[in-house]
Amino acid sequence: MSAVAQLEERASVRPVRPRDAIVRYSGIRTWGPFLVVLVLWALISAAGIFPSAFFSSPAEVWERALSLVERGILPAYVGDSLIRLAVGAAWGLVIGILLGFVIGLSARARKFCWPALLFFQAIGDIAWLPILIVWFGFSLTSVTIVIVYTVCFPLIISIVAAIDAIPANMLRAAGSLGASRLQRIVLVVVPAALPGLSSGIRTGLGYGWRALIAAEIIIGTSGVGFMMFDARRQGDVTQVFVGMIVLGALWYATDALLLAPFEKATVERWGMVEGIGR
Amino acid sequence: MNVLEIEHLTQSYVDAYTGDRTLAIGDVSFTVPQGQFVSLLGPSGCGKTTVLNIVAGFVESTGGRVLVEGAPVAGPGPDRGVVFQDFALFPWLTVRQNIVFGLRMQGAGKEERERRAEEMLALVGLDGFGSKYPHELSGGMRQRTGVARVLATNPTMMLMDEPFASIDAQTRRVLQQEVLQIWDSQRPTVLFVTHDVDEAIFMADRVIVLSARPSTVQADIAVPFERPRTWREIQADPRFAELRTELMTMLGVEDL
């Protein structure tokens, strides 16, 4: 008996391969790909394939970024964009998660909402901007609505899909252990839908972030999107590059600081999903 | 006293595409007295799992009566714990939390849950594994957790739906003996669904054989072996080979 338990225990522990260990601990995994891109970028700009007015070098972009930070423009714009995203995403998450669970759990709600969901999903986020500007002007409200709209749909759809994918026996098990309907929802459906929820949040926030930049380009009074579009108007390619890099870096930071730790502590810890991109 | 009474159970379903009505369970009747371990054996597709699902309250029968302790079955309940082929453990709960899930539903206090969890972990040989998550365990250990989760609340009946079918062959034999030992400590009434003749004999006091669909009870055979049982002894017993041949013939598997 105990010998069997030991054998079984040994079989369940995965050995760490040395190659994995190197990749994991030396920072190569995080910075390696960026280094490659940086080197290629430097080579292309040094080779003079494109005129320098259209293709800035890494050094120029770095200097411009520093000067934008010194003059306080970049921090202010990044701050504006992040606040807009945070406000929009917060509402989007609340509404999306609620609707996702209601539609996922209630056949009646699903029948009622699904056609509308498909219809409105087809009207792309920024396709709402013309009418929103008429209604709410060039305001935070317009931007927020666009982001809420964008965050909601992927969230709702992936929550519904996750609820549908819950193994029937898991719910049966809970029922035969005496769980009421409410207990089944709170104690089984919610945690079992968490992988779908977290991937929905990831997709939703990603879309929301893009919608924000698009909205800033059109509504444009401040923010990273505005900065990029404004720079284009003045033919300032270097500043456009800065904006693009800031966008990528901010998304990377959101993932590394918020999404990945949450997934690591929950759905990955429980073995419900493999690490995403790790 | 009979814990389970099944009277003229029938089950038919309508094919969603063709609209045809199929009779899956023709007419099944049997009773199980308290503390008996009964194997429900039959060819695949004969509806033996459906019988279990109806007893568990997961599926409503289209005809006949199912009584547990004299009361008609209406939905699942903690008096009938179910052990599933795919374990159906909750991956976000530790082994310990899985085991006391039923107690938690009954509103048992934290202290009682802790105590019971340790008892059950010891009983199923998982001491020291209480804080692990199910995915960190082997199949055999997961199913022992599944059994512990059911027995933790002392149910009247334990319903087992091919509980060893997703366990590898070597572990299965060991697990069958272990589960019998565990069962012996509480002796709940068991309905054990399997398609494996050897397993059906080894585990049970009685083997009920269902015919192909629409299924009826084809045979009801008492298993003569004393408990506690081990595979070594049972396999050496000439009555085992006889019983096995008899059941194999009934199932239409005559490779002997």
Side-chain angles (χ1 to χ4, degrees):
Chain A
M1 165 74 224
S2 72
V4 171
Q6 273 171 12
L7 261 177
E8 288 179 348
E9 182 189 19
R10 208 172 306 149
S12 70
V13 175
R14 239 179 292 151
V16 177
R17 284 175 296 169
R19 195 172 57 85
D20 283 356
I22 292 169
V23 170
R24 187 157 302 156
Y25 296 114
S26 63
I28 288 174
R29 249 170 88 106
T30 311
W31 302 111
F34 294 118
L35 205 69
V36 172
V37 172
L38 193 68
V39 168
L40 278 177
W41 176 16
L43 283 176
I44 291 169
S45 87
I49 299 171
F50 304 106
S52 64
F54 293 156
F55 199 89
S56 310
S57 71
E60 284 173 310
V61 169
W62 175 244
E63 272 166 35
R64 175 60 61 84
L66 281 184
S67 103
L68 282 170
V69 170
E70 271 165 23
R71 286 188 283 152
I73 294 173
L74 193 56
Y77 281 0
V78 166
D80 283 350
S81 290
L82 285 180
I83 286 172
R84 287 171 191 152
L85 181 69
V87 172
W91 283 108
L93 288 179
V94 170
I95 295 170
I97 290 172
L98 276 177
L99 277 177
F101 277 102
V102 168
I103 295 172
L105 286 167
S106 152
R108 211 172 299 165
R110 184 177 308 200
K111 227 174 194 167
F112 184 75
C113 293
W114 203 251
L117 209 65
L118 293 181
F119 178 82
F120 283 109
Q121 193 193 11
I123 306 174
D125 37 24
I126 46 177
W128 277 92
L129 273 177
I131 193 67
L132 287 175
I133 291 170
V134 171
W135 289 341
F136 301 106
F138 293 86
S139 64
L140 180 63
T141 314
S142 301
V143 179
T144 306
I145 291 174
V146 170
I147 297 173
V148 170
Y149 190 85
T150 322
V151 170
C152 271
F153 286 105
L155 202 50
I156 292 171
I157 287 166
S158 67
I159 290 173
V160 171
I163 291 175
D164 286 351
I166 296 173
N169 280 349
M170 214 181 266
L171 291 164
R172 287 172 162 183
S176 74
L177 288 164
S180 65
R181 177 166 161 79
L182 183 67
Q183 284 171 322
R184 281 208 300 276
I185 291 171
V186 175
L187 299 175
V188 180
V189 173
V190 171
L194 219 51
L197 180 66
S198 80
S199 80
I201 290 176
R202 189 181 280 278
T203 322
L205 281 187
Y207 287 175
W209 183 231
R210 285 181 234 169
L212 168 69
I213 301 308
E216 283 179 345
I217 285 173
I218 294 169
I219 293 183
T221 49
S222 72
V224 180
F226 169 73
M227 184 186 87
M228 291 168 69
F229 208 67
D230 195 43
R232 185 213 63 92
R233 221 169 327 191
Q234 296 164 24
D236 186 351
V237 172
T238 309
Q239 194 160 316
V240 175
F241 273 48
V242 173
M244 290 167 71
I245 292 169
V246 167
L247 290 184
L250 283 176
W251 179 248
Y252 193 89
T254 310
D255 185 277
L257 298 177
L258 292 175
L259 303 178
F262 169 73
E263 283 163 358
K264 232 181 185 141
T266 55
V267 290
E268 281 178 44
R269 177 76 189 88
W270 304 331
M272 293 171 80
V273 295
E274 296 290 324
I276 295 164
R278 248 159 286 122
Chain B
M1 187 199 122
N2 287 325
V3 164
L4 176 66
E5 293 162 77
I6 297 180
E7 296 166 7
H8 303 294
L9 183 69
T10 61
Q11 177 75 10
S12 59
Y13 65 89
V14 178
D15 188 300
Y17 293 101
T18 60
D20 293 341
R21 182 169 281 272
T22 313
L23 193 60
I25 299 175
D27 182 1
V28 168
S29 301
F30 63 88
T31 59
V32 182
Q34 173 141 33
Q36 197 171 55
F37 197 125
V38 174
S39 285
L40 198 54
L41 182 69
S44 66
C46 75
K48 52 194 188 296
T49 291
T50 308
V51 172
L52 182 135
N53 282 338
I54 291 169
V55 176
F58 300 148
V59 174
E60 238 178 279
S61 69
T62 45
R65 290 212 307 166
V66 177
L67 305 175
V68 172
E69 290 193 299
V73 165
D79 55 328
R80 287 150 289 139
V82 184
V83 178
F84 297 90
Q85 180 181 339
D86 59 2
F87 318 130
L89 299 174
F90 307 119
W92 53 89
L93 299 181
T94 62
V95 169
R96 185 178 287 112
Q97 291 167 331
N98 265 286
I99 289 176
V100 296
F101 188 89
L103 291 173
R104 208 169 134 204
M105 296 305 101
Q106 293 175 3
K110 196 172 179 324
E111 242 170 66
E112 191 194 338
R113 297 203 308 252
E114 295 275 310
R115 189 181 48 76
R116 191 72 178 140
E118 292 314 312
E119 276 174 27
M120 294 314 295
L121 284 168
L123 179 65
V124 300
L126 287 172
D127 309 82
F129 289 93
S131 305
K132 297 266 183 207
Y133 285 96
H135 78 107
E136 297 172 302
L137 305 183
S138 67
M141 297 166 96
R142 285 184 215 183
Q143 197 54 299
R144 280 188 268 148
T145 307
V147 172
R149 179 173 70 173
V150 163
L151 293 184
T153 54
N154 282 313
T156 315
M157 285 198 80
M158 177 157 70
L159 309 173
M160 307 182 86
D161 186 11
E162 309 218 15
F164 307 128
S166 36
I167 309 275
D168 66 87
Q170 287 89 25
T171 314
R172 190 181 306 150
R173 296 234 144 182
V174 180
L175 200 57
Q176 287 159 346
Q177 300 181 113
E178 284 171 4
V179 166
L180 275 190
Q181 282 169 25
I182 296 165
W183 169 76
D184 204 38
S185 69
Q186 288 191 6
R187 293 256 177 173
T189 310
V190 175
L191 186 63
F192 182 94
V193 165
T194 182
H195 62 265
D196 180 332
V197 171
D198 293 17
E199 181 176 271
I201 301 169
F202 179 72
M203 300 298 286
D205 299 315
R206 185 176 150 208
V207 179
I208 293 174
V209 185
L210 295 187
S211 66
R213 75 170 37 170
S215 49
T216 54
V217 174
Q218 192 182 351
D220 190 338
I221 297 167
V223 179
F225 310 116
E226 295 295 305
R227 295 183 189 273
R229 299 173 184 171
T230 60
W231 269 112
R232 198 195 304 263
E233 290 163 14
I234 299 291
Q235 270 174 323
D237 196 315
R239 290 173 300 174
F240 176 74
E242 274 169 38
L243 206 49
R244 190 171 183 275
T245 311
E246 189 184 345
L247 290 171
M248 286 283 206
T249 312
M250 265 180 219
L251 293 178
V253 191
E254 292 176 86
D255 59 350
L256 299 165

